[in-house]
Amino acid sequence: MNRLKHTLNQNERLREMLSYVLFGALTTLVNWAAYFIITSLLQPEQYATDSTAHWLILNGAQSVSWILSVLFAFFTNKAYVFKSKAARGSAVRELMLFVSARLLSFLLFDLLLYNLCVFSLGIDHKWSKLIMNVLVVIFNYFASKYVIFKNKQQYADNN
């Protein structure tokens, strides 16, 4: 274990990538847990005959779980993955950029690419979802590393 800690301390890129994967998995668990808790409490199945109520519950649960997971991802990425020390004003900027990047990845990959693959290209929805998830992770990593948390020391020095 000490050897692993030493290796990770010596290789910042490896530490960053491994922590990104770890906190990404935890973010997914936050998303799923929130979604399943909300749907268990609200039981959308009992509204199967009322398509509007059923749709509202499912989309509400999806929205709340997405918000909670994005917030969890922001704070863990900021503190543990990219180790940003931004002061309050710059931290708000980082949060806005982070949420904007997550919204962009959602629009580009979850909506656009997924629908293009499934409905236009005829790719099976399971393969499309897998392709989309890989691209989302890659996009979010580069957006976080090179746009959102890129000047972490500069922000800490200026505030």
Side-chain angles (χ1 to χ4, degrees):
M1 188 60 129
N2 287 336
R3 190 177 199 174
L4 177 61
K5 284 182 184 179
H6 177 72
T7 301
L8 291 177
N9 286 336
Q10 296 299 316
N11 190 335
E12 179 62 18
R13 178 174 277 165
L14 178 62
R15 183 213 56 80
E16 186 178 274
M17 292 179 101
L18 289 175
S19 60
Y20 186 80
V21 169
L22 170 68
F23 287 109
L26 291 174
T27 298
T28 300
L29 289 176
V30 166
N31 185 288
W32 289 353
Y35 180 82
F36 289 120
I37 289 169
I38 293 166
T39 55
S40 291
L41 292 172
L42 298 178
Q43 300 179 352
E45 304 80 26
Q46 70 185 14
Y47 300 100
T49 57
D50 181 356
S51 61
T52 302
H54 189 250
W55 183 88
L56 284 172
I57 291 170
L58 289 177
N59 280 285
Q62 180 65 9
S63 298
V64 169
S65 63
W66 183 84
I67 290 167
L68 291 174
S69 62
V70 167
L71 288 173
F72 177 82
F74 171 74
F75 289 111
T76 56
N77 276 253
K78 178 177 174 47
Y80 302 112
V81 178
F82 299 106
K83 297 188 176 189
S84 173
K85 305 288 189 223
R88 179 175 249 161
S90 294
V92 170
R93 177 187 175 280
E94 286 177 343
L95 176 61
M96 292 300 160
L97 285 170
F98 191 86
V99 170
S100 297
R102 290 302 203 257
L103 279 171
L104 181 59
S105 72
F106 175 77
L107 292 172
L108 287 175
F109 299 109
D110 286 279
L111 295 179
L112 185 66
L113 182 66
Y114 178 80
N115 284 300
L116 175 71
C117 287
V118 172
F119 298 111
S120 297
L121 300 177
I123 299 172
D124 180 72
H125 71 95
K126 293 173 187 163
W127 286 107
S128 297
K129 183 87 169 148
L130 178 64
I131 292 165
M132 180 269 307
N133 281 330
V134 169
L135 293 173
V136 164
V137 168
I138 293 168
F139 176 87
N140 287 339
Y141 175 78
F142 284 105
S144 292
K145 181 168 180 65
Y146 296 109
V147 176
I148 300 161
F149 300 112
K150 77 175 187 174
N151 294 323
K152 57 189 171 194
Q153 189 58 47
Q154 175 188 341
Y155 294 139
D157 293 342
N158 290 337
N159 292 304

